Amino acid sequence: TDAVVYCKGHVLLVTRNAHVGNGQLCLPGGFLNQTKRVIDGIIDNLKKDTAIKVSGPILKSNMVNTRVFDDTERSLRGRIITHAGIIVLDGITSLHSLPQVREVKGQKTHAQWVPVHKIDEYRNQFFEDHYYIIKTMLGSIDNT
């Protein structure tokens, strides 16, 4: 699963700290627990990777679209299919600034909000097809 979190003209990204793609920008996400529904996996992996200070139910209720990315060549790690969800936090009136995130230990670290207008500048720094996923998912909403 992968989460595209959009808030106030920014997208939430993390920096990989794993063998394949170490140091590259990527979306918060991870493998789906076999006992979880896809949407719950998107939220769980997002919370685990970023510790975003927004509750799971609010994140879930603001997921406006999901899509499967299954190109057979999308990953050097083998046949990996991802379900990506876009979460738009602009409608949450209690958020007066970007939600707080913190660095977490594990496979990915250094959660950060990146302005959408900088995404193209970082195109060559993204892990696998995450740039394409971001552009596709942002294109599915009207407020970017």
Side-chain angles (χ1 to χ4, degrees):
T1 64
D2 288 299
V4 179
V5 183
Y6 176 84
C7 187
K8 302 180 186 310
H10 292 75
V11 174
L12 183 57
L13 300 175
V14 292
T15 303
R16 279 187 64 85
N17 187 20
H19 173 65
V20 178
N22 187 33
Q24 291 183 303
L25 293 173
C26 65
L27 293 165
F31 290 106
L32 181 63
N33 180 316
Q34 295 298 308
T35 64
K36 299 263 183 184
R37 295 175 52 95
V38 169
I39 291 174
D40 294 327
I42 292 169
I43 301 299
D44 290 350
N45 285 324
L46 167 63
K47 297 282 282 177
K48 179 186 67 143
D49 282 355
T50 67
I52 188 170
K53 299 293 183 189
V54 178
S55 73
I58 289 176
L59 292 168
K60 188 174 180 178
S61 68
N62 285 279
M63 189 176 306
V64 297
N65 193 11
T66 61
R67 181 170 170 176
V68 174
F69 291 86
D70 64 348
D71 187 292
T72 58
E73 302 293 321
R74 70 171 297 268
S75 180
L76 296 172
R77 299 167 292 162
R79 181 74 168 120
I80 306 233
I81 298 168
T82 193
H83 290 259
I86 184 159
I87 300 166
V88 179
L89 299 178
D90 284 350
I92 301 173
T93 56
S94 62
L95 286 179
H96 302 293
S97 60
L98 296 170
Q100 184 180 3
V101 293
R102 66 176 168 76
E103 183 177 318
V104 294
K105 293 182 179 180
Q107 189 178 17
K108 301 177 189 89
T109 58
H110 307 293
Q112 60 184 314
W113 290 101
V114 175
V116 169
H117 70 271
K118 296 242 182 208
I119 296 296
D120 288 337
E121 290 177 34
Y122 298 137
R123 180 180 192 150
N124 294 328
Q125 297 175 41
F126 279 100
F127 178 63
E128 295 181 340
D129 63 347
H130 288 214
Y131 171 82
Y132 172 74
I133 292 171
I134 292 167
K135 296 297 275 189
T136 299
M137 298 305 282
L138 287 176
S140 73
I141 60 174
D142 292 331
N143 47 346
T144 58

